[in-house]
Amino acid sequence: MPAGEAFSSAQKGELERAIRYARQVGDLPVSLYVGELGASSRPRALELHAAFGDAAAATVLVAVDPGAHRLEIVTGRAVSRSLDDRSAALAAATMTSAFAAGDLVGGLVTGINQLGDHARAPRVLHADGEV
């Protein structure tokens, strides 16, 4: 999908479901930005993430500039405890592969789902400390 073209209502629904899934499964608040990031995409993504104020520490921003073929994933300090850089890089690789095939929405949905899956806290079998 070319930059600037609006998502259909079905595509918006898919993206919203992926964001809800990441929150439910991984307790991961994800925000999505699709638009121009400029020549310096990382500083722009950091600026967008910082705009969340106090919530930024617990938020992941997925920023995509389809026209410039740029993707940035910014994780807040609190999020980095449950979602490491390796997991974010794997999700980014999944997204960019789909983008290269012309599937912007599918790449975003799959990548956001992966972020939620990787942010899952490990299951505790014995919460009372007994083994």
Side-chain angles (χ1 to χ4, degrees):
M1 170 181 306
E5 189 174 311
F7 293 117
S8 70
S9 59
Q11 291 171 324
K12 287 178 188 176
E14 287 181 62
L15 293 167
E16 289 168 0
R17 279 189 294 282
I19 291 169
R20 273 195 310 273
Y21 175 83
R23 182 176 282 282
Q24 290 169 348
V25 171
D27 193 27
L28 186 67
V30 175
S31 182
L32 177 61
Y33 173 86
V34 179
E36 287 187 34
L37 291 172
S40 301
S41 60
R42 187 66 181 176
R44 177 67 177 135
L46 291 170
E47 177 184 312
L48 290 167
H49 185 259
F52 292 112
D54 292 341
T59 302
V60 172
L61 172 66
V62 176
V64 182
D65 184 338
H69 304 284
R70 295 183 189 269
L71 166 68
E72 298 289 343
I73 298 175
V74 182
T75 58
R77 286 184 319 277
V79 172
S80 64
R81 289 185 281 244
S82 63
L83 183 69
D84 61 14
D85 289 344
R86 182 176 174 272
S87 296
L90 288 171
T94 297
M95 286 187 246
T96 55
S97 292
F99 300 164
D103 189 4
L104 177 63
V105 173
L108 289 169
V109 166
T110 303
I112 292 168
N113 286 340
Q114 277 186 322
L115 290 170
D117 286 337
H118 286 269
R120 285 186 196 200
R123 285 183 42 199
V124 177
L125 297 177
H126 300 286
D128 59 4
E130 295 180 24
V131 179

